[in-house]
Each structure stands twice: as C-alpha cells, then as structure tokens.
C-alpha cells in the first residue's frame, strides 16, 4: 500500500492574505521510492498534473502544524479539567492563564501562520485546477475534494480557537495587508459548504489505497463535529444536531470500521494503522520528510510527531533507572489533575483504560556502580532498594498504599501523596520506542486524528441532545464494553438514568485523554471556565470568561492595514 510521505521543497511566491507574507511551501508525494528534493519551481508548475498533485500533498503537510506537536497539545491539554502543568517548559502560563498568556504567544502565532499557509495552498490548488489538463476527471475531482476538506479543517480549528477570523477562499497572488475578521456564522457556512461539496467526490472507502488521503467517512466525521460545535456557537441553528446524527451513523455502519477488541491495542506501537483509525496524520523516520511546517521560518517546525516527549514523569533520575527509548525522554510538560486520576479513572477494577493509558511500572535498566543497591529517592518506607536488570524499580499503584505495605515491596512505590510536578502517572499512549536514540526529539509515529471510538461518543452526545436517551446509552455502552477488562463487560454497562452530560464529559476523558480534544470539548460544552475552576488548582485563580478564545497574534494585527481598528483583538488580551 502506497503512503503519502516523501517531502519536496518547492519555492513558490504564494502569499496568504491573512499573513501578507511570502512563503516557501513543502510538498509531499505518494512515491515511496523517490527521494529527490525539487526546488526553484516556476509559477506555472501548479497548472500541471504533477504540480497539482504536489500542491495537494503540500496542503496535507500543514496538518502537521497541529497534530502531534507541542503547540497542538498545549492548546488542547493545558488549562483543562484533566491536565495541568508539570515541572518543565516555557508554556505553563497557558495552563495557569496568567497575563503572560498574551498576544505575543509563539505557539498561537505558529498555528495561525501555518494554517493560513495551508489554506492558501488549498486556495491555489482549487483556483489553478481549471487550467490543468491531462488528468483523469475523477482524480481531479477527488483532489479538489481533499483540499476542500483540509481548508474546512483549518477554518474549523481557527474559528474555535479565535472566533471570527479572516476568510480567504481564493488564492492570494501578491502580498496584501487588506484583511478583516469575517463573522463566525460566515466562517461556519464556508466550512459546511466545503465539506458538503467534498463528500461526494472523496473515496467511499475505509482507507484510501494511498494511505493518509482523506476519505468520505473522514469528511462525514468532521462535518458532524462541525454541526455539533456550531450548535453551541453564536451561529447555532435548530437542526444542527439532527444533521450530525446521520453522518455519524454512516461512519459507523457503512465503511467497515471496527473497534479493536482490546483498548490497549489502539495506541500500541507498530499498530498505528488499524481498523479503528478513520484518518491519521502521517509522520516518518526521515528528518527531511518529517516536518511540522516550514522550518525555514521556524526550526521548531522540524520535530515530527513529538507527542512522546510531553506527558512523561522524571523517571530517569530514580534509583535503578536511566533514560532509554522504551520509557521515553521526559519533558514533564503535562500531568493529570487529581480529578482526572481519582474521579475520571476511579474504576480500575472493571475499566481497562487507566491501565492501558497510564504507565504504572518501570523496570530497572541501570545497575550503576554499586551492584544494584541504591538509596531510595522518594519512597522513604525503606532505606535502600536492590535491583537486578529487569526488576521492578518503580510501581505507581494509583492509590495511597500504607507505609507498612510499601516497606514490604522491594522497589519504590509512588503514591498520590508523593505526586508532584516531576513525579506523576505518565500517559503512555504516545511513547515512541522507534526513535533512533534516547535523546531524539523527532518522532515518527502516525497521529490518529479521527478514530471510531470518538465517533461513537459523538453519536451518543448528539443522541442525548436530541432526547434519544436509550439510543445514547446504547452508543456509550459500545465503547464501555470494549473498554472492560476480560469478563467485566456487564459491569461496565450503564443505564439510561446514568446517561447525563456530566457522565459523557468524563467518558470522553477516559477514552480520549491526551488525544488533543479536551480544551475544544470543554469550550463546545460551554463549561471551560467552570470546570477549570473546579478541577485545575493551577488554572483556577486566573481563568476568566474571555479565555474561551485565544489571542489573535499581535503580528497579524500589526501587519494589517488599519491595525487593530481593521482587525480587532479578542476581548481581554
């Protein structure tokens, strides 16, 4: 099966009207054998069949600015009810909502810039397609549908993050400073139009023969989520939820997707392409073809899928342990809140998702120079620990084990009262033991942007909003039965009386933790401020109502003709 993966540098003078900047675009192609880098391409290249294909693949690459990146995770995990900050990193203010979270925020600027680059690439492909000859008509329609999906995807994230944004639907041929913020309703209308036009021309397959291309079910999944989000926005219409329901049912029933029998398999290393993945963002092991965006503008865009860095505790300074590729390089950015650990994942007898998602055991990989005997670091129930290679070195039970019981264990036991910003239960979903060495930041795992587990939860949410309580309960129970430990499926089922929005909020956290949804979910439900105040002690003192939008990057306002009067900043920033 062919894969969209190889990267080409094509220097083009295509400018985004929202940026008023000249760009260099990076193009991918589906040929796994071709390694050549193309440069100095003329303006007419996009008018050729090969140029159009490379332009489409360049648009796909703009997805890497969001998925599997520090900026994408920071904008979706930080400052929520289930994640707070660890010890390290420069972006803690995005969790604490202090005044440092301002219009100069680099992560926000990068997302804005890279998405508008991607949008203008989509616009160029669409506008130039009328000039392209020598390409099969069905293929041409499919490629146009793909870039309409990408354009809709980018605007959907932009409108959720920033509210009204500049709406550019045609190629910007020369730099311009004349931009403005379109109404939210107009942005949603454009998103929906793009997706409705794309769906008939996309492949009606579970997975494209060229893995990584958008297919019809991916567009249906996205359009359903657009309607659900629009339903709680200022652009809401009375039939938004009703329009979402058949789209989600089609994804579930019409293409052959199936939930994997064991939840732990979903994020198992080496199993990234599986029957549950609707659409994934591709990464590679080749630094040339693993970029998140245009590294000529920002070297930080060259780190591949580096999700593996951010959710890990400082295990590598503990007795019997050293850093390795299996356990990961611990950047200690994101740690779960007490609410996430103790309430969301309270049931660990019937529900396998805590065990499958959270790393609870570390095995000794470093005997040091003293025959494997060490003074303990955090578990003071014993003065020393002694390990052979492969012995348990750290165990995290997830509950407050007594000192007497811990003293009987020949390893360190990390209990909740000892959790801090360096030591905490680590998310294991994104670990990448395929990295070249223990220091490598670049990751090469594909990032699943859409999977069937979420589709069922979206359907349950829609059905709950439509008053179809029994159907919503049945949809959630599909997910819960799959999540059960062997023999515990019956205990995992809920009744209609238990099917509430509060329950669904926690169920989405159990299923989707760390998958770049939570901040957007809380905003869609209208409970972001409320739940941060309840469950995130670091964010609670400072979060305000205006934090449901992110700041417009100041450089965007500065380069707009008329400045803030023509392109006003969001309130509060």
């Amino acid at each position: 099966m062919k894969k969209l993966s190889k990267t080409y540098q094509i220097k083009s003078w295509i400018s985004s009207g929202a940026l008023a900047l000249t760009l260099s675009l990076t193009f991918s192609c589906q040929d796994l054998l071709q390694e050549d880098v193309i440069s100095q391409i003329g303006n007419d290249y996009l008018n050729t069949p090969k140029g159009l294909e490379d332009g489409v693949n360049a648009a796909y690459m703009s997805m890497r600015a969001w998925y599997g990146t520090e900026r994408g995770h920071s904008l979706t995990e930080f400052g929520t009810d289930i994640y707070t900050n660890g010890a390290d990193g420069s972006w803690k203010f995005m969790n604490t909502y202090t005044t440092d979270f301002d219009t100069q925020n680099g992560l926000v600027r990068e997302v804005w810039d890279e998405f508008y680059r991607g949008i203008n690439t989509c616009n160029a492909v669409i506008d130039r397609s009328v000039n392209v000859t020598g390409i099969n008509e069905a293929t041409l329609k499919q490629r146009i549908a793909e870039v309409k999906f990408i354009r809709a995807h980018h605007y959907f994230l932009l409108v959720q993050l920033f509210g009204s944004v500049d709406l550019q639907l045609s190629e910007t041929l020369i730099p311009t400073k004349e931009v403005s913020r379109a109404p939210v309703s107009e942005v949603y209308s454009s998103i929906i139009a793009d997706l409705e036009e794309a769906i008939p021309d996309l492949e009606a397959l579970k997975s494209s023969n060229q893995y990584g291309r958008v297919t019809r079910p991916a567009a249906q999944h996205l359009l359903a989520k657009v309607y659900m989000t629009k339903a709680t926005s200022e652009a809401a219409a009375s039939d938004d939820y009703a329009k979402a329901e058949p789209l989600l049912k089609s994804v579930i029933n019409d293409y052959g997707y199936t939930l994997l029998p064991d939840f732990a398999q979903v994020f198992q290393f080496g199993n990234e392409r599986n029957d549950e993945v609707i659409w994934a963002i591709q990464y590679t092991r080749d630094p040339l073809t693993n970029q998140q965006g245009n590294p000529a503008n920002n070297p930080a865009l060259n780190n591949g899928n580096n999700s593996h860095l951010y959710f890990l505790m400082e295990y590598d300074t503990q007795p019997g342990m050293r850093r390795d590729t299996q356990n990961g390089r611990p950047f200690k950015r994101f740690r779960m809140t007490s609410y996430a650990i103790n309430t969301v994942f309270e049931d660990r007898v019937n529900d396998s998702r805590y065990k499958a998602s959270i790393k609870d055991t570390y095995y000794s990989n470093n005997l040091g120079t003293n025959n494997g005997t060490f003074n303990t670091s955090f578990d003071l129930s014993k003065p020393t620990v002694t390990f052979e290679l492969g012995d348990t070195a750290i165990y995290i039970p997830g509950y407050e084990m007594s000192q007497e019981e811990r003293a009987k264990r020949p390893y360190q036991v990390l209990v909740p009262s000892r959790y801090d910003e360096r030591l905490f239960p680590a998310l294991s979903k994104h670990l990448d033991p395929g990295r070249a060495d223990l220091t490598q930041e670049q990751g090469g795992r594909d990032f699943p942007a859409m999977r069937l587990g979420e589709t069922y939860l979206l359907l349950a949410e829609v059905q709950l909003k439509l008053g179809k309580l029994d159907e919503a309960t049945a949809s959630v129970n599909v997910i819960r039965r799959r999540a059960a430990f062997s023999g515990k499926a019956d205990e995992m089922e809920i009744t209609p009386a238990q099917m509430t929005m509060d329950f669904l909020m926690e169920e989405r956290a159990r299923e989707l933790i760390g998958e770049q949804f939570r901040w957007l979910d809380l905003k869609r439900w209208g409970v972001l401020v409320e739940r941060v105040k309840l469950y995130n002690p670091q964010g609670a003192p400072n979060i305000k109502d205006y934090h449901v939008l992110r700041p417009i990057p100041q450089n965007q306002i500065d380069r707009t003709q008329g400045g803030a009067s023509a392109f006003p900043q969001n309130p509060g920033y």
Side-chain angles (χ1 to χ4, degrees):
M1 182 161 49
K2 291 182 179 179
K3 181 179 180 182
L4 287 162
S5 64
K6 298 306 171 188
T7 303
Y8 292 75
Q9 295 287 349
I10 299 184
K11 294 184 178 178
S12 172
W13 302 109
I14 299 174
S15 302
S16 164
L19 299 172
L21 293 176
T22 300
L23 339 165
S24 294
L25 297 178
T26 304
F27 289 76
S28 304
C29 100
Q30 68 272 21
D31 187 349
L32 286 172
L33 301 176
Q34 184 60 258
E35 298 280 353
D36 298 334
V37 175
I38 303 173
S39 64
Q40 303 301 333
I41 297 301
N43 184 59
D44 290 336
Y45 182 64
L46 278 176
N47 300 333
T48 68
K50 183 64 167 62
L52 180 131
E53 290 283 357
D54 286 343
V56 173
N57 297 335
Y60 274 104
M61 202 205 73
S62 62
M63 294 288 182
R64 291 180 180 169
W66 180 256
Y67 293 103
T69 67
E70 183 171 18
R71 67 192 70 85
H73 284 298
S74 294
L75 286 162
T76 53
E77 312 295 350
F78 259 164
T80 66
D81 53 350
I82 61 174
Y83 266 108
T84 187
N85 59 268
D88 293 347
S90 303
W91 308 101
K92 295 176 188 175
F93 56 79
M94 295 179 67
N95 175 63
T96 57
Y97 293 98
T98 65
T99 54
D100 290 330
F101 193 173
D102 60 19
T103 64
Q104 304 292 342
N105 185 289
L107 299 185
V108 171
R109 182 175 62 250
E110 289 167 6
V111 168
W112 181 277
D113 288 357
E114 293 303 316
F115 273 5
Y116 273 111
R117 289 189 179 98
I119 287 167
N120 201 55
T121 303
C122 294
N123 291 342
V125 170
I126 293 168
D127 290 355
R128 304 290 189 93
S129 64
V130 297
N131 302 320
V132 178
T133 60
I135 187 171
N136 177 276
E137 183 179 359
T139 300
L140 180 61
K141 286 183 176 180
Q142 181 186 331
R143 298 295 181 262
I144 299 308
E146 290 171 40
V147 295
K148 285 187 175 181
F149 170 96
I150 295 168
R151 184 169 69 180
H153 170 278
H154 289 2
Y155 272 123
F156 181 44
L157 278 173
L158 288 169
V159 77
Q160 291 176 88
L161 294 170
F162 302 105
S164 61
V165 293
D166 185 52
L167 186 61
Q168 295 286 336
L169 300 177
S170 60
E171 179 186 3
T172 304
L173 296 171
I174 58 174
T176 177
K177 293 185 175 183
E178 294 182 6
V179 293
S180 61
R181 299 185 66 174
V184 166
S185 59
E186 190 176 332
V187 179
Y188 271 108
S189 294
S190 174
I191 294 167
I192 291 168
D194 270 349
L195 292 172
E196 287 181 337
E197 291 168 10
I199 285 171
D201 293 328
L202 291 169
E203 295 174 281
L205 300 173
K206 181 170 72 172
S207 180
S208 172
N209 291 326
Q210 293 177 320
Y211 183 80
R213 289 199 184 278
V214 172
T215 58
R216 189 175 299 175
Q220 289 175 318
H221 180 106
L222 180 59
L223 180 55
K225 202 165 188 178
V226 169
Y227 279 126
M228 294 171 67
T229 308
K230 176 174 171 285
T232 62
S233 76
E234 61 195 77
S238 59
D239 60 351
D240 284 330
Y241 290 118
K243 288 181 177 177
E245 185 181 23
L247 292 164
L248 295 166
K249 286 184 174 180
S250 178
V251 175
I252 291 169
N253 298 323
D254 295 346
Y255 302 99
Y257 296 109
T258 56
L259 294 176
L260 299 188
D262 182 354
F263 178 81
Q265 296 173 328
V266 177
F267 280 84
Q268 185 177 26
F269 177 71
N271 193 40
E272 288 81 11
R273 297 190 214 174
N274 60 62
D275 287 337
E276 188 166 332
V277 174
I278 298 168
W279 181 55
I281 310 306
Q282 295 175 90
Y283 286 94
T284 77
R285 298 291 173 189
D286 183 347
L288 180 66
T289 64
N290 206 30
Q291 296 163 356
Q292 299 171 355
N294 185 5
N297 294 335
N298 186 347
L301 297 171
N302 203 29
N303 277 336
N305 177 358
N306 52 12
S307 306
H308 61 90
L309 298 167
Y310 302 121
F311 297 87
L312 307 181
M313 80 168 201
E314 193 176 80
Y315 73 90
D316 53 345
T317 62
Q318 296 303 315
M321 297 301 303
R322 63 177 180 84
R323 185 188 303 172
D324 61 16
T325 56
Q326 290 294 123
N327 293 294
R329 183 176 177 181
F331 271 30
K332 304 179 289 295
R333 296 288 197 270
F334 310 124
R335 63 185 175 99
M336 289 192 294
T337 61
S338 296
Y339 164 74
I341 296 170
N342 299 323
T343 301
V344 172
F345 286 107
E346 180 180 14
D347 181 3
R348 301 170 201 173
V349 174
N350 304 306
D351 195 329
S352 71
R353 286 174 293 191
Y354 180 86
K355 180 70 174 178
S357 302
I358 308 302
K359 189 170 182 62
D360 62 5
T361 308
Y362 294 81
Y363 298 102
S364 177
N365 61 8
N366 182 28
L367 292 186
T369 59
N370 52 358
N371 297 319
T373 299
F374 306 84
N375 294 323
T376 56
S377 175
F378 59 79
D379 182 1
L380 303 182
S381 67
K382 58 193 76 75
T384 61
V385 285
T386 301
F387 304 124
E388 299 286 343
L389 287 175
D391 286 351
T392 297
I394 304 170
Y395 176 57
I396 309 175
Y399 61 88
E400 199 63 33
M401 187 184 293
S402 70
Q403 181 169 328
E404 180 182 17
E405 180 61 27
R406 283 186 282 128
K408 299 175 184 177
R409 309 290 181 103
Y411 43 77
Q412 290 205 101
V413 180
L414 180 60
V415 292
S417 61
R418 187 58 185 84
Y419 296 168
D420 58 28
E421 291 187 358
R422 296 185 179 277
L423 299 172
F424 51 82
L427 185 73
S428 60
K429 283 182 175 180
H430 304 301
L431 284 171
D432 187 355
R435 292 176 299 124
D437 58 59
L438 54 85
T439 64
Q440 187 179 31
E441 295 183 25
Q442 283 198 352
R445 297 186 68 180
D446 290 349
F447 190 95
M450 299 178 187
R451 62 180 181 89
L452 192 62
E454 194 209 2
T455 313
Y456 273 105
L457 291 171
L458 292 174
L459 179 60
E461 184 178 334
V462 164
Q463 290 167 332
L464 183 61
K465 294 294 187 180
L466 292 173
K468 299 179 179 181
L469 192 57
D470 289 342
E471 293 178 46
T473 304
S475 296
V476 161
N477 279 335
V478 172
I479 293 297
R480 291 184 61 78
R481 284 193 298 270
R482 189 275 292 274
F485 281 117
S486 179
K488 298 291 187 178
D490 290 345
E491 288 84 348
M492 282 287 284
E493 289 197 3
I494 66 165
T495 67
Q498 296 170 286
M499 185 61 208
T500 64
M501 272 305 301
D502 283 342
F503 176 87
L504 189 60
M505 289 177 192
E506 291 185 358
E507 190 66 17
R508 276 188 68 89
R510 283 185 282 270
E511 180 74 18
L512 303 170
I513 189 169
E515 297 182 40
Q516 295 193 200
F517 293 119
R518 194 60 177 181
W519 190 91
L520 299 171
D521 284 344
L522 296 180
K523 177 179 176 174
R524 179 173 82 251
W525 297 326
V527 297
L528 173 66
V529 176
E530 170 191 336
R531 290 181 74 88
V532 169
K533 286 183 176 180
L534 283 173
Y535 301 123
N536 186 328
Q538 284 72 29
N542 300 312
I543 192 169
K544 303 291 190 297
D545 289 345
Y546 69 80
H547 284 122
V548 297
L549 291 177
R550 306 306 199 176
I552 302 294
Q554 188 60 44
N555 66 335
Q556 171 59 57
I557 296 173
D558 293 342
R559 63 197 173 202
T560 299
Q561 184 172 315
S565 60
F567 209 97
Q569 181 57 262
N570 282 328
Y573 294 102

